[in-house]
């Protein structure tokens, strides 16, 4: 059972380049999330999705885009990379059914450096 | 402004003793609280949670206490083991939301043999 899989694990970008961080889950979870964690800080929500075709902004969405065409996949797109986007990015998912609160399952993260 | 605060960046404890990690929150709308544990180069993993209708939840060596009037929760680990050495994040969510979690900055626990 793979859970939440993120690729790549590491990436170095030059300023202005673009890239897509991939996230896929095999748990049939309806909710998916993207967080970023800066050094010494907590995780901040970038975007989330409550199901295929539905996405919404979190706390820090500027500079990012997402799409959710399938239940399994939730890619995060950086269009014009900036040094401020140097961070560790975590994808997470959970199943929200009758139990309103269920814990998030996280991937192992993508460490991105923009220089 | 931080809605979830973990004021101790680090904590060092001897193996076998109790570890107490603290968390304060400011938003009175939060009604569900979780603790996550994170090892280096891995994603956070869920540890234990508590609803605001309770003041204590226990799972093996881990107990979370909630003091709503003080807007304070704590995680107790008894007895502490070297494998517990990790960063612990406190998180909270307001009721009726999409369950979006607000995280604290984390506390790095070191359990010394």
């Amino acid at each position: 059972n793979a859970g939440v899989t993120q690729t790549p694990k590491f990436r170095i970008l030059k300023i202005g380049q673009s890239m897509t961080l991939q996230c896929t889950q095999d748990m049939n979870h309806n909710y998916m999330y993207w967080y970023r964690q800066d050094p010494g800080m907590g995780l901040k929500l970038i975007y989330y999705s409550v199901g295929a075709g539905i996405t919404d902004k979190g706390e820090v969405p500027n500079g990012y885009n997402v799409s959710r065409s399938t239940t399994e996949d939730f890619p995060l797109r950086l269009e014009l990379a900036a040094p401020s986007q140097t961070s560790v990015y975590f994808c997470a998912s959970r199943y929200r059914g009758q139990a309103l609160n269920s814990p998030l399952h996280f991937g192992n993260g993508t460490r991105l450096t923009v220089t | 402004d931080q809605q979830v605060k973990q004021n101790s960046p680090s904590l060092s404890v001897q193996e076998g003793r109790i570890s107490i990690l603290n968390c304060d929150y400011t938003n009175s709308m939060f009604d569900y609280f979780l603790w996550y544990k994170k090892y280096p180069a891995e994603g956070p993993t869920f540890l234990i949670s508590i609803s605001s209708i309770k003041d204590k939840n226990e799972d093996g060596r881990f107990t979370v206490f909630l003091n709503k009037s003080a807007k304070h929760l704590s995680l107790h680990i008894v007895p502490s083991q070297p494998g517990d050495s990790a960063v612990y994040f406190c998180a909270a969510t307001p009721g009726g939301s999409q369950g979006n979690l607000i995280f604290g900055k984390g506390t790095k626990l070191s359990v010394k043999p």
Side-chain angles (χ1 to χ4, degrees), chain B:
Chain B
D1 62 331
Q2 274 191 278
Q3 298 186 66
V4 177
K5 301 178 185 178
Q6 293 178 258
N7 292 320
S8 298
S10 62
L11 175 67
S12 184
V13 170
Q14 207 67 32
E15 180 179 6
R17 306 293 291 266
I18 184 171
S19 296
I20 300 177
L21 294 91
N22 293 303
C23 179
D24 297 294
Y25 61 95
T26 58
N27 189 340
S28 58
M29 297 300 292
F30 288 150
D31 69 348
Y32 195 70
F33 305 88
L34 306 91
W35 285 93
Y36 281 81
K37 175 178 170 179
K38 185 183 178 307
Y39 292 117
E42 293 184 9
T45 54
F46 170 70
L47 190 59
I48 193 169
S49 62
I50 188 167
S51 165
S52 60
I53 63 173
K54 296 185 175 182
D55 55 17
K56 176 182 173 182
N57 189 26
E58 200 168 349
D59 184 1
R61 296 185 297 113
F62 303 91
T63 302
V64 56
F65 295 93
L66 175 62
N67 182 334
K68 289 186 289 293
S69 60
K71 294 192 177 68
H72 176 83
L73 64 156
S74 60
L75 174 69
H76 293 211
I77 307 173
V78 184
S80 301
Q81 299 173 354
D84 296 329
S85 297
V87 177
Y88 289 78
F89 290 98
C90 173
T93 183
S97 75
Q98 302 293 351
N100 297 340
L101 298 181
I102 308 296
F103 283 85
K105 292 184 179 182
T107 296
K108 184 176 182 180
L109 174 65
S110 299
V111 180
K112 300 187 184 305

Side-chain angles (χ1 to χ4, degrees), chain A:
Chain A
N1 193 355
V4 179
T5 302
Q6 292 184 238
T7 55
K9 288 185 169 55
F10 304 95
R11 184 72 186 268
I12 298 175
L13 282 182
K14 294 190 184 306
I15 294 172
Q17 286 185 320
S18 61
M19 77 164 294
T20 299
L21 283 69
Q22 301 292 346
C23 175
T24 187
Q25 52 91 9
D26 62 358
M27 297 174 283
N28 202 30
H29 286 173
N30 47 359
Y31 282 44
M32 295 188 75
Y33 305 80
W34 274 105
Y35 284 88
R36 60 176 285 175
Q37 185 191 13
D38 299 332
M41 303 295 287
L43 285 76
K44 291 189 184 294
L45 182 64
I46 306 171
Y47 270 95
Y48 66 99
S49 168
V50 301
I54 306 170
T55 62
D56 210 343
K57 296 178 181 178
E59 183 182 355
V60 289
N62 291 344
Y64 307 95
N65 279 300
V66 293
S67 60
R68 183 97 183 269
S69 57
T70 66
T71 300
E72 295 78 21
D73 300 306
F74 191 40
L76 178 72
R77 178 88 179 155
L78 283 71
E79 289 294 350
L80 291 170
S84 60
Q85 293 177 304
T86 294
S87 190
V88 181
Y89 292 82
F90 290 101
C91 180
S93 70
R94 71 186 186 106
Y95 181 76
R96 189 179 182 194
Q98 289 187 338
L100 296 181
N101 292 301
S102 55
L104 298 179
H105 297 256
F106 283 87
N108 284 333
T110 294
R111 184 176 295 274
L112 176 67
T113 302
V114 182
T115 62

